[in-house]
Amino acid sequence: MNYDIIATLGPGSDDPSLWEAMLSAGATAFRLNTSHLSLSQTLDWIEKLEEMFQRTGKKPPIVLDLQGSKWRLGKLPAGPLTTGQQVELRSAVTSDKTAVLPVPHPDLFKAASSSNGEITLNDAKVRLQIETAGNETILARVTRGGPISTRKGITLTASDFRQEGLNEKDQLILTQTQSFDCVRYAISYIKDAAEMAAYRTQLGSAPYIIAKLERRQAMEDAIQIADSANELWVCRGDLGAEVGLKTLAETVFHFSDSLPHIAVPVIMAGQVLEHMTNQPTPTRSEVCYLYETLQKGYQGFVLSDETAIGQYPLESCQTAALFQ
């Protein structure tokens, strides 16, 4: 069975010899999440990968994950938020306090009034309830504590409001990397088919563009989004943070029925082998789900934390490749 395994690179896999081993183990592409990298860091990673490709004669795709319209925290000290704690979300780029969350996205504050009052952080590992909301400040109470750090994602539950488009950094990355023929682009938080068509018009026909499906409307528009994309990723982390776990399960289950009607490859992403972030072996449920996902018609998997920050990136690739 031939399928794709896109391995995200990060602090846990910053080693060219490991990259070679991951390719031998079954990885078919590498992913860099540029939301966590500067432009110079992104270029440095690509150049190191290109050096390895020249040395080995292998040249898999490098997928650059662009932020798109996804909301993320600014720079702040890493640390936990505790249940019951009051925190402030402030329209700012940086903060020197964990309890003051910098949010460099003015549209989040505009969108707060149209949400159900819940904010989730870090793939819904942390949850907040809005107490008061203003144009530049939100006061909220932590209803589920957990770790936060710079650049973690933010979601307003049950809100469709977004200011769509690529930010300045995304556009710089596009300008500086299109000369690399192995580079592909994954655009986060596609809203619908109209937004994806606008990206295709903006970028032209040359770049290989992946549409990340992380919102309810995008899942519903998948067949039409595929008209403007080369590949689709079903990203369960942010989708689950936006629609809730029960609706996530229902949405993905029914979405799988539409795979025969989608004209481009569809890849499953989001906690595929999450157990292996800290353990050398998968759960039995994870292995069974890998097989079921392939049988439903998905064209492969994206490994995220498992290979980017996990302790067992090579073993994660080997497990994901069990059915190759």
Side-chain angles (χ1 to χ4, degrees), residues 22-324:
M22 292 165 74
L23 289 174
S24 297
T28 60
F30 293 117
R31 168 180 173 254
L32 298 173
N33 188 346
T34 66
S35 294
H36 298 284
L37 300 170
S38 66
L39 173 60
S40 61
Q41 288 172 325
T42 301
L43 293 172
D44 186 54
W45 274 95
I46 295 173
E47 289 169 2
K48 289 179 180 177
L49 284 163
E50 288 264 301
E51 290 173 5
M52 187 269 285
F53 296 162
Q54 292 175 6
R55 187 173 64 254
T56 62
K58 298 177 180 179
K59 197 166 187 177
I62 302 171
V63 179
L64 301 183
D65 203 315
L66 304 178
Q67 182 170 327
S69 57
K70 180 178 173 64
W71 291 324
R72 290 185 179 273
L73 292 173
K75 186 176 181 180
L76 78 164
L81 297 180
T82 59
T83 301
Q85 177 183 3
Q86 188 181 62
V87 296
E88 177 186 348
L89 287 80
R90 184 180 297 171
S91 182
V93 176
T94 64
S95 168
D96 58 3
K97 300 177 181 178
T98 304
V100 178
L101 308 178
V103 182
H105 305 285
D107 53 325
L108 179 136
F109 298 89
K110 297 177 183 178
S113 60
S114 65
S115 72
N116 66 358
E118 184 180 54
I119 298 172
T120 66
L121 305 170
N122 193 10
D123 279 352
K125 294 181 177 70
V126 178
R127 294 181 179 271
L128 315 175
Q129 185 64 38
I130 295 174
E131 295 186 336
T132 63
N135 292 332
E136 296 185 346
T137 303
I138 293 172
L139 292 180
R141 189 74 57 180
V142 179
T143 57
R144 178 193 291 170
I148 60 162
S149 58
T150 297
R151 309 301 296 160
K152 291 299 184 182
I154 314 169
T155 301
L156 279 170
T157 306
S159 173
D160 291 329
F161 186 99
R162 283 292 190 285
Q163 182 173 311
E164 317 302 339
L166 297 178
N167 60 36
E168 182 180 356
K169 179 184 169 185
D170 285 344
Q171 297 193 33
L172 282 172
I173 289 171
L174 282 164
T175 301
Q176 296 293 317
T177 60
Q178 288 196 41
S179 60
F180 296 100
D181 59 4
C182 60
V183 166
R184 299 177 176 182
Y185 303 97
I187 302 179
S188 301
Y189 253 68
I190 298 294
K191 180 180 180 180
D192 52 26
E195 183 187 0
M196 189 63 224
Y199 284 133
R200 176 54 77 187
T201 299
Q202 176 184 349
L203 301 180
S205 60
Y208 190 103
I209 303 176
I210 299 161
K212 295 178 66 180
L213 309 183
E214 304 173 89
R215 300 162 72 174
R216 188 198 306 265
Q217 186 62 51
M219 293 290 282
E220 294 174 357
D221 279 10
I223 294 174
Q224 292 75 32
I225 287 173
D227 292 337
S228 304
N230 301 96
E231 188 170 297
L232 306 182
W233 289 0
V234 178
C235 301
R236 295 173 300 178
D238 282 301
L239 180 63
E242 181 163 299
V243 304
L245 293 179
K246 178 176 182 290
T247 303
L248 167 69
E250 295 169 345
T251 301
V252 173
F253 178 83
H254 293 294
F255 173 83
S256 298
D257 293 336
S258 67
L259 292 177
H261 308 290
I262 298 176
V264 299
V266 183
I267 307 293
M268 181 63 74
Q271 298 181 332
V272 174
L273 292 170
E274 182 72 7
H275 186 71
M276 293 192 71
T277 304
N278 299 304
Q279 301 295 330
T281 57
T283 66
R284 278 25 176 196
S285 294
E286 286 173 334
V287 172
C288 290
Y289 189 74
L290 289 179
Y291 183 76
E292 291 171 10
T293 301
L294 294 169
Q295 291 301 313
K296 288 175 182 177
Y298 289 89
Q299 298 299 306
F301 310 100
V302 179
L303 301 178
S304 300
D305 285 358
E306 301 96 324
T307 54
I309 62 172
Q311 300 178 45
Y312 303 97
L314 179 59
E315 291 85 350
S316 295
C317 290
Q318 290 169 335
T319 299
L322 274 177
F323 305 106
Q324 280 185 341

